[in-house]
Amino acid sequence: MTYETILTEKKGQVTLITLNRPKSLNALNSQVLDELIGAFAAFEADETQLCAVLTGSGDKAFAAGADIKEMYEKSAADFYLEDFFSKWTSQIVKTTRKPWIAAVNGFALGGGCELAMMADFIIASENAKFGQPEIKLGVAPGMGGSQRLTRAVGKSKSMDMCLTGRMMDAEEAERSGLAARVVPHDQLVDEAIKAAATIASMPPMAIQVNKEMVNAAFETNLDQGLLHERRLFQILTATEDKAEGMAAFIEKREGNWKGR
Ligand code: CO8
């Protein structure tokens, strides 16, 4: 499939997806959404690919938000009837069982911050800037910002960000738990691919189970989450890769994974 607003590239077992509208600071319009849905579906279906990295082209932005020029043209009825942007959750977040990392290289504002927070974790460059400035446009986050940011950084900081529209730099984002790591700007994509390759070197079924377990912490109460974790752990103990992984440790060698 060919895309006009994103680039995709396979790097070994890692798929690199790059938002590619640098003149608009990679603003997210309907075409970007449709193409990202296609790219994530292709990644998910490709058995050779085990982890993905999403980044933005150019030096300035991961994505400076949903495309304001596109949204300006739409009425409330358009937003409601199209259920504008609901496909982010239903067709990317929910259907991508393999992990993916957001490599945030600059502005991640509004929908850009919300897209980064849909990733399994964020690696930020020293130049990254996160924000939910929608209030300045007379609106509010609409792709999960008020919910995912609050879960990531807590109520006080999330309120501060949403109500004042201020930006958070990379150091604050890491300190607050929004970003997992901060790396030098010119090494961002390499570092993110390195992290993704480390993940891809793990037993494939265990990769997906670990992702599912951590996500359960957001969607269930503690008792249900602990039960879910125990049951998934018990399922993993029945896999060939569990026998191989433990044998490899005892025999002081690398594991040779079967993915089942
Ligand atoms: N949409 C469209 N175009 C954009 C956007 C955007 N979000 N951001 C930047 N651009 C364009 C600019 O219009 C400009 O284009 P042009 O050269 O044609 O004028 C180009 O990108 C470069 O931008 P600037 O000249 O403004 O660059 P600066 O370095 O001066 O400023 C900023 C960079 C601070 C990032 C500035 O561009 C800015 O404030 N951008 C808007 C940020 C913003 O408000 N984002 C939130 C958008 S709303 C949103 O995401 C809601 C999501 C949920 C919707 C759910 C609906 C149900």
Side-chain angles (χ1 to χ4, degrees), residues 21-29 60-61 63-71 74 79-80 83-86 88 107-114 131-137 139-145 167:
R21 299 183 72 212
K23 284 192 189 137
S24 306
L25 302 186
N26 301 319
L28 306 166
N29 62 15
K60 267 180 85 170
D67 192 316
I68 298 167
K69 292 161 192 166
E70 185 182 66
M71 288 191 297
K74 287 185 187 286
F79 280 105
Y80 182 79
D83 205 5
F84 204 58
F85 286 137
S86 68
W88 291 106
F107 293 115
L109 302 177
C113 185
E114 294 170 308
Q132 298 292 159
E134 290 92 335
I135 195 166
K136 296 181 187 171
L137 301 169
V139 286
M143 286 160 51
M167 293 186 210

Side-chain angles (χ1 to χ4, degrees), residues 96-111:
T96 309
R97 297 176 72 197
K98 298 174 187 174
W100 58 284
I101 300 168
V104 175
N105 52 311
F107 293 115
L109 302 177

Side-chain angles (χ1 to χ4, degrees), residues 223-260:
D223 270 351
Q224 287 170 330
L226 291 171
L227 178 62
H228 192 69
E229 180 189 84
R230 260 194 332 274
R231 292 288 177 261
L232 283 173
F233 176 89
Q234 289 157 359
I235 288 170
L236 278 183
T237 62
T239 62
E240 291 177 41
D241 282 346
K242 172 263 179 188
E244 168 63 8
M246 294 196 180
F249 175 81
I250 292 163
E251 292 160 19
K252 300 189 190 302
R253 60 173 176 80
E254 293 295 313
N256 182 17
W257 310 125
K258 299 273 191 303
R260 48 185 58 247

Side-chain angles (χ1 to χ4, degrees), residues 183-204:
V183 298
H185 185 66
D186 59 355
Q187 292 165 32
L188 174 68
V189 172
D190 286 348
E191 287 296 324
I193 288 174
K194 213 189 291 175
T198 300
I199 293 168
S201 72
M202 303 296 170

Side-chain angles (χ1 to χ4, degrees), residues 17-20 26 54-59 61-63 103-105 188-189:
I17 305 171
T18 306
L19 301 165
N20 193 30
N26 301 319
L54 176 68
T55 193
S57 68
D59 239 16
F62 174 76
V104 175
N105 52 311
L188 174 68
V189 172

